[in-house]
Amino acid sequence: MSEPTTIKCKNCGEEATGKFCWNCGQKTSVGRLHIKEIIVEFFLSPFHIENHGLFWTFSWLFTQPGEVIRKYVHGERKLLYPAFRYLVLGGTIATIIAQRYKIFHLDIEDISVPILNFVEPDFFVYVNDNLTIVNLFAIPVFATFTFLFFKPRGYNYAENLTLQAYITSQQLWTLIVIFPLLQFLPGIKDLILQGYTVFTTLYYFYVVMRFFNMWSFLGFILILLSFVYSYLVQFTLTYGIYSLFGHSVSLGH
């Protein structure tokens, strides 16, 4: 009989035989991420909520986000809470909070955007009342443009989806964390939300730069272009949905 094949675990680096690593428990057959794997994770995630990893994932996605996401993509799958499981959990909680307490609710009389005077004011109310879900739908759009602009880096579309899922998830978890401030300090709610918007935007640039290791002026320009194009496409798609369904459909209901 031939000896079993020894494989180096991509998660912990130990030599292992069989289907699972004896040291960390990760599958020894872990390869590159693909769309099929992401779809399975997304739809099965509500039935496989783990009881560990959330705290460390939340912490590491602030202290060394680009590095840990890159390690996860390269095979260290025990390092972080699974991307789309983290997204489903955070997105569900954030959506409930945003809908229940109308965190992003906007009154029509408060709207004044001269540069977009061709857009119905109701559209901005529609977006703000469903901002959490709109952001979730934006993940494939942002993944498309980071994939196109950073294709020479060698990451496939599924890996870009994973990157964007972690970024959006962390933004949603940040909203969950600051929610008590919005309740206890209603007088400065607008200021807190403005700070949240600035922070999450800067966080996006920071994570993408670290993930692709693009610490140069060219890298910044590429990220800026991918960011702008993503928002333009997201706006067009969202406004298209709003125009088609009018006032009769709300993404949050």
Side-chain angles (χ1 to χ4, degrees):
M1 294 179 62
S2 61
E3 294 184 1
T5 303
T6 300
I7 301 173
K8 187 175 183 180
C9 177
K10 291 186 177 181
N11 184 65
C12 66
E14 290 290 336
E15 299 290 338
T17 58
K19 295 182 178 180
F20 297 92
C21 173
W22 65 270
N23 184 51
C24 68
Q26 176 169 287
K27 289 182 178 180
T28 54
S29 60
V30 167
R32 296 192 67 174
L33 289 168
H34 294 284
I35 296 296
K36 181 181 178 180
E37 182 180 347
I38 287 176
I39 292 174
V40 171
E41 181 185 321
F42 182 84
F43 283 103
L44 293 185
S45 58
F47 306 101
H48 292 84
I49 299 300
E50 299 176 2
N51 57 5
H52 66 279
L54 278 174
F55 172 78
W56 289 112
T57 296
F58 181 80
S59 174
W60 282 329
L61 286 177
F62 276 136
T63 58
Q64 43 185 321
E67 292 82 354
V68 293
I69 298 174
R70 189 164 57 244
K71 288 179 179 179
Y72 180 89
V73 165
H74 287 168
E76 295 185 37
R77 303 289 160 74
K78 290 287 184 178
L79 181 64
L80 295 174
Y81 201 81
F84 286 85
R85 210 170 295 178
Y86 192 53
L87 175 66
V88 169
L89 186 58
T92 300
I93 297 173
T95 299
I96 292 173
I97 290 175
Q99 290 293 324
R100 172 65 178 80
Y101 296 96
K102 299 294 183 183
I103 291 178
F104 298 106
H105 180 70
L106 196 65
D107 293 323
I108 294 178
E109 55 268 21
D110 296 332
I111 299 172
S112 178
V113 189
I115 197 171
L116 295 176
N117 55 13
F118 64 93
V119 178
E120 296 180 32
D122 279 346
F123 170 71
F124 295 101
V125 177
Y126 171 80
V127 170
N128 277 270
D129 285 349
N130 300 281
L131 194 57
T132 301
I133 298 176
V134 169
N135 285 337
L136 293 178
F137 287 143
I139 291 174
V141 177
F142 279 79
T144 296
F145 283 99
T146 52
F147 171 69
L148 293 175
F149 277 89
F150 297 97
K151 196 171 184 178
R153 291 289 172 173
Y155 293 99
N156 63 32
Y157 183 66
E159 291 161 343
N160 278 272
L161 272 177
T162 299
L163 166 66
Q164 296 298 336
Y166 273 125
I167 292 175
T168 300
S169 299
Q170 195 71 352
Q171 292 169 336
L172 292 172
W173 280 102
T174 301
L175 176 64
I176 294 169
V177 170
I178 69 170
F179 169 67
L181 291 177
L182 298 174
Q183 291 301 108
F184 292 123
L185 301 171
I188 58 171
K189 175 183 174 181
D190 290 343
L191 182 62
I192 295 174
L193 289 178
Q194 289 170 8
Y196 169 76
T197 300
V198 172
F199 171 79
T200 53
T201 301
L202 293 176
Y203 177 78
Y204 176 88
F205 277 76
Y206 178 67
V207 177
V208 175
M209 289 182 76
R210 294 192 69 156
F211 179 81
F212 291 109
N213 198 23
M214 295 289 288
W215 298 99
S216 63
F217 179 72
L218 174 61
F220 174 77
I221 294 299
L222 289 175
I223 295 171
L224 179 62
L225 288 174
S226 70
F227 185 81
V228 171
Y229 281 129
S230 296
Y231 259 110
L232 288 174
V233 171
Q234 181 191 5
F235 175 85
T236 302
L237 291 175
T238 305
Y239 193 71
I241 293 172
Y242 169 80
S243 300
L244 285 173
F245 296 106
H247 309 290
S248 60
V249 176
S250 172
L251 289 174
H253 295 87

